[in-house]
Each structure stands twice: as structure tokens, then as C-alpha cells.
Amino acid sequence: MAPTDMAQTRRAAVTAPNDLESYWLPFTPNRSFKRSPRLIVRAKDMHYYSADNRPLLDGTAGLWCTNAGHNRDPIVAAINRAAEQLDYSPAFQFAHPAAFELASGVAALAPGDLNRVFFCNSGSEAVDTALKIALAYHNVRGEGGRTRLIGRERGYHGVGFGGISVGGIVNNRKFFGSLLAGVDHLPATYSREHQAFTKGEPQWGAHFADELERLVALHDGSTIAAVIVEPMAGSTGVLPAPQGYLQRLRAICDRHGILLIFDEVITGFGRLGYAFAAERYGVVPDLITFAKGVTSGAVPMGGVIARDGIYEAFMRGPEHVIELFHGYTYSAHPLACATGLATLELYRDEKLFARAKSLEPRFADAAMTLKGQPNVLDIRTVGLAAGIDLASRAGAPGLRAYQVMERAFQEEGVMVRAAGETIALSPPLIVSEAQIDEIFDKVGRAIKAVG
Ligand SMILES: Cc1ncc(COP(=O)(O)O)c(C=O)c1O
């Protein structure tokens, strides 16, 4: 082959995804995807663009993460500047200024004395970090007998072994062995019978928190290190906490010296109309996990925010000795920190959290227009998130929602997420009122079309 031909072939191999076999897609039915790929090639503000250049209204903020909208100029500029200035600095034994600045910025948004920020690269790492901090915290205080972790059925806490152990999704657990020992679960807080078609937090269900007292009675409180819950369970279909539920969990944890962890990987950075859902509910947890929205999805980043007392418990012993034996090569990566700083500025300048709050009633009303459509069994909303439960097709659980997602992408020009039997919606916080209507109109048409 002549050199110019070879160069052309190489370029084609790089630019055209003409071989779909090598890439093993995560959390995706690979064979059906590869038969009819949904390829996205660029994005701006509220829209993605498909490989055939069709605009797709983003009803999902990517994967619950692009809260500031896509390819926003200040974020893109910050990424470019950071890439030119500092590619990498070691995360252990050295640091760079943006790491401290971002930690201060995140801490300033967190409630109470949640002032100490540990960085990692994803929500899964954030969860495993938080669980490890909780165990180690008790250990350094001489309560090493507190080894049990409590999660919740229908909880999603990422895919690390810690996260799937405290998580409550059968398929995420059953293939992967015996998981962490000493984990127990609270019941899920959802009941269609008592909560169907609720806007915001359901009135019924606070009593599910009392199940923690049952677990304390079973295991003895002195063996339990921490309880981890999502304030709104996102991945299993948008299940807002019932009114009073999180407050009750807090009170029970306090009674028994158990740490309370809010997994705010989805709810952090404005999804429920506040910087963190903890503020919406007036509950101060001991640890908050975050990821996704901290960089508006533009660069991977996650982290854990800890109360002062937790950090201080570790600051003992000789000063040259590491206090917490944990961290990642890319903790506080310079590119992620610069992106996070630009993102937090954008949230502040455009008041996007308050915007989400003020749009919440409009969003909820628009979602409820789908009530009464064939196969719609329930609709739940909270903040700028909605879950629409569809009836299963006989013998094919999840198929109808998957078909709605496909139809929405291919025919209606809107991105939605299929999660089991639920269509989940969570647009970027810059969404306009007209675009909210457009999302639900299109989803309604897709639901009707797939029948
Ligand atoms: C509540 C929660 N925790 C953890 C995770 C895991 O985050 P990641 O996919 O970045 O590892 C997610 C992801 O959706 C999540 O929703």
C-alpha cells in the first residue's frame, strides 16, 4: 500500500466507527445496540447530535450529570487552559492549588460542618471511599467492633464491591460472589398502592425508617458502622424519600452512634433544587458522596465530604505518618479540578440550583400529563427528575421501556433513560419551560407508538 493510502486508511479507522465489535459497552445490551447503534457525536447546551446529525433534546442530562448543559463555553475554556498548564501532579505527597480551591468551593455548598473533601474519580469510588472512611473512623476512635454497613433495597451505589454490597439491585449483586460480609439492608421506601402519581415526597412511608431500629435490635447498634442511602433513589426509577423519612433515619443513627451517609451522586449539584438534597430535607448527614454534577459530566470526578469531627478523629499520631491509607492516582486530577471550579462558577452565576427549584412545579405538571396513557402505571417527580413506570410486556420484563427509549431516540429526537420498567427523566438544569413540555410530549408519543 502506498504511504498516502496507508495514512488514509489509518485516518478512516480513527474517525469512522466502522467496527462495532471491540467495544464492550457497560450496562448495555451489546448485541441489540450493535444491531442498531445509537451514536452521539457532539453536543451543545440542551442538545445532543446523532451521527446522522439529528438534534436530540437531552432529557437525561447525559447520565444524570451534565447539570449545566453541554459544552458550555466557560467549562470548555477552563478545560483547554488546564490541559495546557498542568497535565498531572502526583496526588500523594504533592498537590496543586486548584485541588484546595475546589475542595473549599464544594465544602461551601455543603450543609453544617461538612467541610472536609476527599477526591476520587467516580461515584463508585466515592461510595467505596465513604464506606472505608466510616469503618476507619470508628477504628481510630477505638470502636473497631463497628464493622456492619447498612444499605437499602433498590439502592444504587455504583459498582465497586462496597457499592454493590450495600446496593439493593439484584442483577448488580447476584453474579458477583459473596460480596462484603456483614451488610444488611433497609426496605425500599416505595409502594405504588400508597404513593402512585405523587409529586414530590410522598406523605406515606416515613415508617420505613423505623426498620433501622429492627436492624439495631438484631445486630446490636455497637456493631454498625454506617447507614448509606440516596436521598432520592435515582437509578431504580426516581423514588423520592417519603416525608420525614430522612429525619427519622438521622435520629436513629444519632441514638446508636451510627454514621449516616447520603449518596448524593445524583442529587448533588442542583437536581432537587439545592446544592445538596441534605439541604432540601434539613438533615445533616455525616458523609456525603458526590460525582457527576461536580464537573457537569465534562471530566470524571467524584468525592466525599466529611464532617469536621470525622476528619479530626484521624489527625492524631506522629505528623509524618499517613492518617488515612486510601487514595487514587487521579484523586483531584488537575483537569477535573479546573473543570469543577468552572462548573461551580457557572452554577453560581446562572443560579441554576434555584432555577431547578422554581421549575419543579412546571416539570411535575408536565410529567403528570402522561397519567392515563395506556401502560403508564405510575409517575413520580421530585426536583427536576421524573420516573414513569410502564407495564411489563408479558414474559419480557423491561422490553417496553427499552423500546420507548429506542423510539424516542430514533423517531422523536429526545434522549430518555430506560431503567428496568421505568423511563427516567432528568434534564440539564438550563432546560426551558418550552423544552420541558417538548420532552414530555415526545415521551408521550413514544409511549403511544410502541403500544
Ligand atoms: C447514587 C449513585 N451512587 C453511585 C453511582 C456510581 O457512579 P459512577 O457511575 O460514577 O461510578 C451512581 C451512578 O449513577 C449513583 O446514582
Side-chain angles (χ1 to χ4, degrees), residues 64 122-125 127 156-159 230 235 263 265-266 291-292:
W64 313 87
S122 68
S124 299
E125 289 181 358
V127 166
Y156 182 64
H157 301 292
V159 293
E230 303 156 87
S235 299
D263 184 348
V265 165
I266 281 179
K292 298 187 187 269

Side-chain angles (χ1 to χ4, degrees), residues 152-163:
R152 193 168 59 187
E153 292 164 1
R154 293 191 73 167
Y156 182 64
H157 301 292
V159 293
F161 274 100

Side-chain angles (χ1 to χ4, degrees), residues 308-383:
D308 284 329
I310 292 180
Y311 174 84
E312 280 152 14
F314 286 91
M315 300 301 132
R316 301 170 176 181
E319 289 201 3
H320 71 284
V321 175
I322 292 166
E323 297 103 354
L324 177 65
F325 286 85
H326 180 72
Y328 302 89
T329 299
Y330 302 121
S331 282
H333 190 283
L335 195 60
C337 290
T339 310
L341 283 167
T343 303
L344 295 197
E345 266 176 39
L346 200 51
Y347 289 148
R348 184 198 61 205
D349 294 350
E350 298 187 352
K351 301 186 175 56
L352 289 183
F353 306 159
R355 179 185 170 79
K357 189 174 177 210
S358 69
L359 284 172
E360 177 169 349
R362 171 69 180 245
F363 185 81
D365 288 346
M368 291 301 167
T369 59
L370 304 187
K371 186 176 175 183
Q373 279 221 7
N375 301 312
V376 171
L377 301 181
D378 186 17
I379 301 171
R380 300 169 292 277
T381 63
V382 62

Side-chain angles (χ1 to χ4, degrees), residues 257-319:
I258 299 167
L259 295 183
L260 179 60
I261 307 170
F262 279 180
D263 184 348
E264 297 231 27
V265 165
I266 281 179
T267 53
F269 303 101
R271 180 58 50 203
L272 301 195
Y274 295 84
F276 292 99
E279 193 183 338
R280 177 173 173 122
Y281 298 111
V283 175
V284 180
D286 300 296
L287 296 161
I288 288 178
T289 57
F290 66 90
K292 298 187 187 269
V294 64
T295 56
S296 195
V299 174
M301 169 165 257
V304 177
I305 320 171
R307 294 180 84 163
D308 284 329
I310 292 180
Y311 174 84
E312 280 152 14
F314 286 91
M315 300 301 132
R316 301 170 176 181
E319 289 201 3

